[in-house]
Every structure is written in C-alpha cells, then in structure tokens.
Amino acid sequence: MRRWGTAVHRVVTTRGGLVLAAAVAAAGCDGGNRFSGPVDVATDRPRVEITIPRGDSTALPLRDSIFIEARFRDNTGVDSVRFFGETIRGDPSIGTDVLVQRFEVRSAVLPSVRDTTLGRFLIPTADTVKEFTNLIAQGFDKDGNLGADTIRVQLGGPGVRILDLQDNQSVQAGLSLNLSAVARDPEGVTSLTFVLDGAVTQTLVRNFTPPADSVRVDTTVAIPAGIQGSFTLTARAINNLGLSGGDGPLTLNIVTGGVTDTIAPRLSLTVQERERVELGDSLIIQVQGSDDPAGTGVATVGYTVRALSPTRGDTVMSEVTRAFAPARTGTLAQQFGVPILNVDSLSLPDTLVYEITAFMVDAAGNCGAAVDDQGTFGCRTLAGGQTGAQDRDGFSTQMVVVAGQTVFIPGTAGGGIGAAQAILDAQIDTVRRNLFLSNSARNQVEVFRLDAETFGPAIGVGSRPWGLALTRDGDSLWVANSGGTNFSVVDLGTEREVENNRLRTPDVLLFDLELRQSDAGNSFVVHPLPEPASPSFSDRPQFMAVDSFGNVVYSTVATLVGDMGTARKAFFPTGAVASEVRLFVEHGLVQPQDNFWALAHIDSIRGAVEGGVAGVRFFDHVPGFPDNVISGFFGLNEPPELGWDALVAQGSDAAIVSAARWDVGTIGFSDTTYVAGSGDGGWIAVGEGATSPVGRVLMYEAQPDEITALSGILPVSDFLTNASERVRGVGVNYDGTLVVARGDLAYFFNEKLRVEGVNEEVALPSQAQGATFHPLHANFPTLENPLGQYRPDIHLAFVGSGNRTVDIIDTQRFRRIGSVTIRDNIVGPLRAILPFASDNAGRICATSPVTDRRGNTIGNAVLMYNANDFTQPMDAAGASEDACVVVKLFGVTSAGGVVVIPVRKADVLREHPNR
C-alpha cells in the first residue's frame, strides 16, 4: 500500500511552478511525503494518482532516469501537468531544511481533459547522494487549482519492475502463474526474490554469480486447486553493495474456474518491424494475453508466419507453438524470434513480405487469434494446417534481407554509434584466425574469433588503445596507447600483454639555432621547437604500421588543447640496449633565413667554454644506446656545421639545414592522421585528415632502422576534388603498387603518389567510411612497375558508401562494378582476408596463384573471369560457382558491432553487362 503522510503544507501555487513556503511534517508510516494523496474535493482541485512506480518500495540506481505515470481527473478539466523529483534535507523543526532537486521537471499542456493517464521519463540531476527522494506529479485545472500525488523512491539501490501483472488482477486456482521481473543496477545485481504472502505463501530466490548489471527472471508458481482469497506479490533485488530495491506489493485475487469453459483467450500481437535484416537475424514479436479469469488457462501460445517473395512469387508457411502443462493463469507474455525464411542467398538484397498471426488456445480447446493490438478474433485452419485469424489476414510487414552477420561487441549490444566510435582500429591475425579491435573506452583489445564468429576474452592493455599492428614475425601485436606515450606488446600465443615489454617513447624536440652578431662579438641563441607559446608536439601514439624490417611507423594524436600530431618511426638498432624514436621532418618546410640553422634528431644544445674558447656544444646519444652520450663543439666564430660533423662522426643521426629555420606548422598535423602498410611491409602510407592547412599523404618505403626518410609527399589538394575534404582513412595493397585515400570519394595513387584514378560513385560522401583492397591485390601496372599485369579477379577495392552498402571497385577502370548491401553503415575500420577452406566447402571454386611485383607467389585467388578477361565473366555454375566466397570483409558498424561479410562471386558479377 502507499503510505500517506499527514504532512500539512502551506503552499503558493503558480502556473509556472510551486514554491514551498513552510512545511510542518507529522510523519505517517514512512513520513516524508510532500503532498497528500488523491483526495476527491469536488471541483476544488484535480485528483492525481501515480500509477507507476508502484508504491514506496521502489529503488533506482544513482544517476539513472525513471519512468513515472499518473492518472489525472478533474470535473472541469485538467489543462497542464508537471512531473519532478526532490528531497527535503535537514530538520524543518529547527529551520535547517533544504529543498534539493533530484530529477528535472517535465511539463505538458493538455486540451482540458477530464480524465487522462500520462507518463514521462524524468532525467536525474548531477547529485550523487544516496537517499530517499520524492517523485511528484501535479495537475492544474483551468482555474489554476493544483492537485498532486507523491511517492518515495530510494536512490542508490537496484531498480526492480514486475512485468505483465496488474494490481487486483484475478488468477485461477489449480493453474500455474507466470512471474516475471527485471532488475538493474550498475553496481551489479546479486539476487532477485519473489515473495508471495496470503492465500499463497512462497519465496522464490534467484542468485547471480558474478553479479550482473541487468537481469530478468521468468518463473512460474502453482496456485493450488480449491483455494480462494487473495495474496500479495513483491519482488526485491539486492545489489553488490548490499542495498535493496523492489516493486509491489501487488494484490492478486484467486478465483475458481467454472464447470464449462467456452470463452477463448484474449490476446494482442506486437511486431518490432525492421527495414533491413541479416540472414541470422530474427523478427521479434510479442504475444500477450490471458484466458478468462474463471477459464481453464492458456495451454498453448504460438504464431503463424507466411513469408512471400514478391520477386520470385513463391511463399513459405510456418507455425511455431509453445505448450504449458499445467495451463497458465493470469497474463501470459511470450516473445518469439521469427527466423528469416524464403531467401535467395545469392540474390541479396532480397525483399520479403511477412504476414504474421498470433494465437492462444486454452485447456478447453478454445482458440483466440490476433493480428495486432486492437482486438481478438476467432481462429481458422489454413490450407497447410496452420492457424490463422477468422476473416483476417496476418499482420503485414516488409523487410529487405541483406548480406553479412553482425556480432555485437561484448558489453555494448545495441550500443549503436557510441559503442562503434570506441573501436578505433582493427588488425587481423590470419594464422590464429583472430580479428583484434582496439576499444579505447575500456582500455582493452577485443578479440573476435574468425572461425566461430564470436568474441573471446578481451586483452587488457594501456590507456586508450588506438592503433594496432602485427610484428613482422606475426607472434605479437603492437598496441598504441594514446592515453599515454607508450606501446603495449601482446603475446598472441597467450593473448596477454607482456607487461615488462611496454615500449615507452621519449619527448621529441626540434631546434632553430640563431647567430647574432654585434660589436661585442658573436653569440648563438637556441630556440627549442615548438616554442612555449606555440602548440607543442603530441607524443601520444595514434595509428601505426610495421615495415618489412620490423620498424614501427606511427602517427601521434592531435589534441583539442592545441598539440600537433606528428609522424614518427620507432626501431630497435642492431645490438642496441633500447629502442629509438625518430620524428619525420622531410614533409615539413623550412623558411630560408640567414644566420639560422634548423636541427633535428638531436638531444640538446648548450653553451660551453673549452680551452679558453667560447662556443656551443651539440649533445646527442648513439641510437639505441641512451647512456652513450656524444657531443660536438664549435666556437662562436666557427660554423655550426663543424659541431654537427663531429657529432655524426661519433654515430649520431642528427640532421642540419643551413640558412633556414623550421616552419613548425608544416611538420605537425592538426587532425587525425591515418597510417596503413602494404601486406609485404614494403610501403607505408600516412594520411593527414586536416583541411586547414590542407592535409597531406606521405609515403614511406621500408628502410633499415637508421634511415627514416619519407619517399614521397603529396598535398591532398593535388588529388581531392574539394579543398575542404578530409582524409578519413588510407589503405595500401599487398606490394605497395596501389594506395587508396578515403575522403568524400575514393582516390587511388601509386607508391610515388602519382594519381591513378578516382571513384566518384559514393552515395553519401560525408558519411562514407572504410576502404580496403582484395588481400591479393598486387603487381598493379604503374610507371614504376611497367611489367605489372591487370588481373580482374584480384584488382578490386572495397569501399563503404555511407548508404549501408560496400561498393566493389574495379581498380583498372576505377568504377563500381558491384555492391554488397548490409544492414548498418560502416563507421570504422574495414578489413579483408581470403576465405577459409570451410567457407567454400562442398563448392566448386577454381583458384589461380597470384604473384607480387617481385614474382613471389602470395596466395590463390578464386577465379571469376575466363582467360583473365574482364569482358568474359564465368557462368554461374562454371569452374567457380556463384556461391564461392571470394573475400571475407570485417567492418565496425553503426550498430556497435562487427559485421562479417562474405563477398561471393555472385556479388562481384551480378551487375556485369555480359551476365
């Protein structure tokens, strides 16, 4: 029962709110109620009764929203309502009481109705005190009179809700009663208990080990035959801190069934309609209803589905039922997952029309059917023996069946775009058949098993993991921890970080050295760069790739506080005792200026006096040996090149540019900077996402550890069609003969950054994301690779369109030749691998070996064309069947999961003009 206090309040009411002028509380059972209950005072004020939550046993996790529903009645009409939550802290008797708002106000204006029920979700304030608080519903009539109701809820305990039962509901003796409840609490729910007290006395407890954030319990309790009366039902949960919360009590009245049952159950059907579904999806339907309170109870619940294909003209019928013994009394709610039927998997996307009818049969054989939530009809037997509704077609819904199967990232199912945005990079280990995803929100690497297409245990790493790359031997995974300045190393055999192997990177500076001449003589001024007043270089790693020598090329994060991103190379010199990190500066500009020297890859510069000669000394260390400090000296009347020569002669990697100073803004990056390597590690592309100043694409050719020079630099404006266009990803084919930059369109160029082509067929450019090549895309013919050969079977790129498709691009003509329609947009990394043997088991899938630019065999590709001729596609059931999987794609989607897309020969050739 609701415990009404006898508090008397003097209030001043206005249409905009309520001001508490004084409060003298004479507590009732619980006390603390701010408003009296729903008293009928003729036309003086509206009558208000909160119906949800039920009673003062309700609890709610801190900082969680709550749904409140109330009934409002008034003889002259209610024309506005308000919902809010507040707590009175302190002691009113001594004047220390303070009114604290715990939930924001929600208001609604009504068309002066006499009787209505209205509900709203209340948003919590930032307060985190665990306490009882009041939820208040107010109603105003057209004269400004106020009526209100209040209940107390406990903040800081688990929220509990009893499902499918109402207060004062009738249930029948001799049958089973469904009990369902949900409980949630971020602290973790440890137990949920149902307590029945009265004519039926029973306690049912379900424990949860380990505790769960959200639980649902469905069970039944037998109502003994031959008894009458009523009983109460309460559900209570306990969280991991020992705090409890509950729902109820509800009063349930036991009735005795009649001798003859001729009344069919009454029910409703709701369908969660979906525009697009995957083959492994289910269409979720909810069937809810009950038998007559004095009837024999629901013995069977089920549905019939008629799946029609408008394009093929055929139909599939199916019926699914669930039986209950003994029959069920009270409200019965059953959820079904209707599978995807009548699909041509080689003609995706495929449109289906479903007609669905739900039905319930009681123990006496009476049948009721529903096609929506508007009423119950009699049942009829269809031609195939299934159950339908009398004189009614089933609920009709149309959906498109698309390619792919989405697996939600653990702990984020249904998390949507927010969950997807936490995944920043992906890396595939084909040897152990794992896909690794960096989860920046949880400081871990998610492990997706490619064979089972499920997630395994996550791997804990450093702070905010971003970029991923395999070591050259393939036994370990590099993880760039962008929340720090270090890299984790994960052993792929044990799937654990090797804690003592974490690579910690040093700070990096550049220097401008200035000569100042005066009558008093020469002096040198050192300018460390970036200067204190200007943006600094970020040292926090972002994306990365590993070259064929095992060196790591990586970008660093451009931050909101002004730090510029950079491109760097981390390597371990032969025989060294420590790793080395070097900043790429080749893409940066210098400003010609007399009496200046620009220096890089040097530790420090200090003034010195040696042998009575005043001068400057450069300090550095031998790469890989931080304790082996070396230096070079030059006098104030000598050129700095002398000190640099001495430094280099001792093994330094210092660089110097005479008569120049660094243009720091051209060295740093102002936006996300992508890094991608070729399959053989020979080439690495760095793509800057900036638009002002215009971004750049940098190319690095794999070199021994002591060489860090970039091989090519290309301003994005040279190949992007829009000066404000951002680079949102880069990809490199197996041997570096072709690179793709993902902007609003897809741009292709070779390792020397000579533009080869552009694909402009992107449906929604601003939303497009993801680009990758066929895993065996190699030996592309270019000016630098004149002996390359076009092969239509492998010279393919796969590009996310932003229109929930992945476009298939022929990289000879740079046009879309096909597409794969998927359920959600690609919003993160897109990766491709060759199919496993099991993917094409039982099919005829002829293959041919593929070689790279050096003549090395790198794998076998499924054949799709005769005589390597794009104009001659193979037949659907020729040497390679249309069902053969050519490539498997993996992409992070807007639904918050990984979609597995088997690209089949049919997908590539479906739109071919000669098919």
Side-chain angles (χ1 to χ4, degrees):
M1 59 175 283
R2 177 175 292 120
R3 304 182 181 185
W4 301 105
T6 57
V8 178
H9 301 277
R10 179 167 59 85
V11 298
V12 178
T13 61
T14 66
R15 300 310 301 269
L18 179 148
V19 180
L20 181 65
V24 180
C29 302
D30 283 322
N33 284 327
R34 182 168 166 201
F35 296 97
S36 59
V39 181
D40 185 359
V41 189
T43 59
D44 290 344
R45 59 175 175 167
R47 289 167 288 163
V48 181
E49 181 178 7
I50 295 175
T51 55
I52 298 176
R54 293 185 284 247
D56 292 334
S57 63
T58 300
L60 191 69
L62 286 174
R63 304 293 301 277
D64 204 355
S65 61
I66 188 171
F67 181 74
I68 179 172
E69 180 184 86
R71 183 181 181 186
F72 301 89
R73 290 173 288 174
D74 188 81
N75 290 346
T76 62
V78 178
D79 68 350
S80 65
V81 301
R82 297 172 77 240
F83 299 97
F84 56 99
E86 63 185 20
T87 300
I88 298 178
R89 296 178 187 161
D91 188 348
S93 65
I94 60 175
T96 61
D97 55 314
V98 177
L99 195 63
V100 180
Q101 185 176 4
R102 294 305 303 265
F103 290 91
E104 296 178 3
V105 177
R106 294 292 304 275
S107 303
V109 177
L110 306 177
S112 194
V113 293
R114 294 189 176 188
D115 190 341
T116 187
T117 298
L118 197 67
R120 290 290 187 272
F121 276 97
L122 299 186
I123 306 302
T125 62
D127 201 313
T128 59
V129 175
K130 296 178 181 178
E131 62 185 354
F132 283 94
T133 195
N134 298 316
L135 293 183
I136 301 157
Q138 297 176 332
F140 297 89
D141 64 19
K142 61 185 181 62
D143 297 320
N145 297 314
L146 164 67
D149 189 14
T150 179
I151 65 168
R152 292 206 313 166
V153 296
Q154 175 186 326
L155 300 181
V160 182
R161 183 182 172 196
I162 298 173
L163 305 176
D164 308 325
L165 291 174
Q166 300 297 324
D167 199 24
N168 288 315
Q169 183 171 331
S170 297
V171 297
Q172 189 180 157
L175 301 180
S176 293
L177 174 66
N178 292 293
L179 301 179
S180 297
V182 292
R184 54 191 175 86
D185 195 308
E187 299 292 345
V189 177
T190 59
S191 68
L192 179 64
T193 301
F194 292 103
V195 179
L196 291 77
D197 188 26
V200 178
T201 301
Q202 194 167 347
T203 300
L204 306 172
V205 181
R206 179 74 59 84
N207 296 311
F208 303 97
T209 304
D213 293 349
S214 178
V215 299
R216 173 172 176 149
V217 174
D218 295 283
T219 186
T220 61
V221 62
I223 308 298
I227 67 170
Q228 293 182 336
S230 64
F231 63 94
T232 59
L233 171 66
T234 304
R236 298 203 67 79
I238 298 177
N239 70 9
N240 208 28
L241 301 178
L243 300 175
S244 66
D247 190 12
L250 302 181
T251 299
L252 301 174
N253 302 306
I254 301 172
V255 297
T256 302
V259 176
T260 303
D261 181 6
T262 60
I263 302 176
R266 300 191 63 80
L267 67 151
S268 64
L269 167 68
T270 56
V271 180
Q272 296 181 10
E273 295 188 78
R274 303 178 68 177
E275 176 194 359
R276 292 188 181 187
V277 294
E278 298 171 342
L279 283 170
D281 285 346
S282 297
L283 191 67
I284 304 302
I285 68 171
Q286 181 89 3
V287 183
Q288 181 167 317
S290 62
D291 196 19
D292 181 71
T296 53
V298 176
T300 303
V301 61
Y303 70 87
T304 296
V305 58
R306 182 169 177 251
L308 304 90
S309 171
T311 55
R312 298 188 306 277
D314 56 350
T315 301
V316 173
M317 297 281 291
S318 177
E319 178 180 292
V320 174
T321 61
R322 290 178 186 168
F324 306 103
R328 300 289 177 88
T329 184
T331 302
L332 177 65
Q334 287 290 308
Q335 182 172 285
F336 293 93
V338 183
I340 306 304
L341 306 171
N342 196 18
V343 178
D344 181 359
S345 60
L346 296 184
S347 299
L348 300 180
D350 193 8
T351 299
L352 293 179
V353 175
Y354 271 21
E355 293 181 358
I356 302 171
T357 302
F359 57 88
M360 284 184 174
V361 183
D362 65 19
N366 302 303
C367 180
V371 297
D372 51 31
D373 59 358
Q374 299 301 309
T376 301
F377 306 95
C379 297
R380 64 187 173 103
T381 301
L382 304 178
Q386 299 87 4
T387 301
Q390 193 69 43
D391 301 324
R392 291 289 189 281
D393 292 328
F395 178 90
S396 181
T397 182
Q398 179 173 296
M399 55 193 168
V400 177
V401 185
V402 298
Q405 180 63 48
T406 298
V407 182
F408 288 113
I409 299 161
T412 61
I417 190 69
Q421 287 174 340
I423 304 301
L424 299 180
D425 201 10
Q427 182 65 50
I428 294 178
D429 175 13
T430 55
V431 174
R432 298 164 189 83
R433 299 191 177 185
N434 288 320
L435 170 68
F436 299 105
L437 303 169
S438 56
N439 190 330
S440 63
R442 297 193 169 195
N443 293 346
Q444 63 190 27
V445 173
E446 307 291 349
V447 184
F448 183 73
R449 311 294 188 198
L450 300 182
D451 278 334
E453 296 186 0
T454 59
F455 279 93
I459 304 169
V461 290
S463 175
R464 297 183 183 177
W466 198 312
L468 303 173
L470 295 176
T471 57
R472 287 312 298 169
D473 59 13
D475 291 336
S476 300
L477 177 74
W478 284 105
V479 183
N481 297 318
S482 69
T485 57
N486 55 74
F487 294 81
S488 291
V489 179
V490 173
D491 183 289
L492 296 182
T494 61
E495 294 188 357
R496 292 191 59 182
E497 180 185 4
V498 184
E499 286 86 355
N500 295 331
N501 266 14
R502 189 170 290 186
L503 171 63
R504 292 172 170 83
T505 63
D507 189 17
V508 175
L509 291 175
L510 300 175
F511 297 93
D512 280 343
L513 185 63
E514 178 188 3
L515 170 62
R516 293 183 179 177
Q517 298 172 314
S518 68
D519 293 340
N522 293 340
S523 64
F524 283 92
V525 178
V526 179
H527 301 276
L529 301 173
E531 295 177 318
S534 65
S536 62
F537 290 144
S538 166
D539 295 319
R540 299 190 289 119
Q542 191 174 40
F543 287 105
M544 64 176 165
V546 175
D547 72 11
S548 57
F549 292 91
N551 307 311
V552 178
V553 174
Y554 68 97
S555 60
T556 62
V557 179
T559 69
L560 295 177
V561 297
D563 289 350
M564 294 181 290
T566 61
R568 307 183 185 192
K569 176 178 176 178
F571 55 95
F572 201 90
T574 303
V577 298
S579 58
E580 190 72 23
V581 173
R582 196 173 297 166
L583 178 71
F584 284 117
V585 296
E586 292 82 2
H587 61 289
L589 302 177
V590 292
Q591 301 171 349
Q593 189 161 343
D594 292 338
N595 296 329
F596 266 87
W597 290 260
L599 292 112
H601 318 319
I602 190 171
D603 291 343
S604 64
I605 305 173
R606 293 198 294 267
V609 177
E610 299 185 10
V613 177
V616 176
R617 185 167 288 276
F618 295 147
F619 289 90
D620 199 6
H621 65 277
V622 176
F625 299 89
D627 295 332
N628 189 353
V629 178
I630 54 179
S631 64
F633 177 82
F634 63 96
L636 296 181
N637 295 315
E638 297 175 319
E641 285 85 352
L642 290 178
W644 176 76
D645 286 338
L647 203 61
V648 172
Q650 300 173 71
S652 172
D653 57 356
I656 190 169
V657 182
S658 302
R661 60 187 311 178
W662 293 113
D663 184 345
V664 174
T666 65
I667 294 173
F669 304 136
S670 60
D671 203 342
T672 299
T673 300
Y674 297 87
V675 180
S678 61
D680 62 2
W683 294 88
I684 293 175
V686 179
E688 178 188 12
T691 59
S692 179
V694 69
R696 293 151 290 181
V697 174
L698 319 177
M699 287 299 293
Y700 161 84
E701 185 175 7
Q703 300 286 347
D705 50 27
E706 68 272 11
I707 301 177
T708 57
L710 296 168
S711 57
I713 304 158
L714 177 68
V716 168
S717 56
D718 286 359
F719 64 91
L720 296 190
T721 59
N722 184 344
S724 63
E725 195 171 344
R726 295 177 63 248
V727 173
R728 294 195 294 274
V730 292
V732 187
N733 75 346
Y734 183 86
D735 58 1
T737 49
L738 195 64
V739 184
V740 60
R742 193 69 175 90
D744 287 350
L745 309 180
Y747 303 90
F748 298 87
F749 44 89
N750 64 20
E751 71 269 37
K752 296 301 183 182
L753 296 174
R754 298 290 296 172
V755 179
E756 296 287 348
V758 59
N759 177 259
E760 302 180 359
E761 301 169 288
V762 182
L764 297 171
S766 62
Q767 300 176 30
Q769 186 85 1
T772 190
F773 288 105
H774 188 295
L776 300 181
H777 192 300
N779 202 24
F780 184 79
T782 67
L783 182 65
E784 288 72 28
N785 186 41
L787 299 180
Q789 181 185 18
Y790 168 59
R791 288 192 55 175
D793 296 312
I794 61 168
H795 284 166
L796 302 172
F798 303 91
V799 176
S801 71
N803 195 31
R804 294 185 292 175
T805 65
V806 175
D807 290 342
I808 304 170
I809 309 298
D810 169 45
T811 60
Q812 178 70 13
R813 297 160 183 82
F814 301 100
R815 70 184 185 199
R816 187 182 67 82
I817 61 172
S819 65
V820 182
T821 303
I822 56 178
R823 192 183 68 189
D824 311 294
N825 265 330
I826 301 291
V827 296
L830 182 66
R831 299 289 184 263
I833 64 170
L834 293 176
F836 300 129
S838 57
D839 294 320
N840 287 326
R843 301 188 181 101
I844 300 174
C845 301
T847 63
S848 176
V850 176
T851 56
D852 64 9
R853 67 195 300 178
R854 299 171 185 84
N856 300 317
T857 300
I858 58 176
N860 293 285
V862 173
L863 292 176
M864 294 180 286
Y865 300 90
N866 292 303
N868 199 36
D869 186 346
F870 180 82
T871 66
Q872 299 183 40
M874 286 184 172
D875 293 337
S880 290
E881 300 174 5
D882 264 12
C884 291
V885 178
V886 176
V887 166
K888 290 184 76 170
L889 300 177
F890 302 88
V892 177
T893 72
S894 56
V898 172
V899 61
V900 182
I901 309 170
V903 180
R904 302 182 186 276
K905 175 185 164 189
D907 297 316
V908 180
L909 300 181
R910 184 179 299 115
E911 300 177 26
H912 198 288
N914 295 333
R915 256 308 185 93

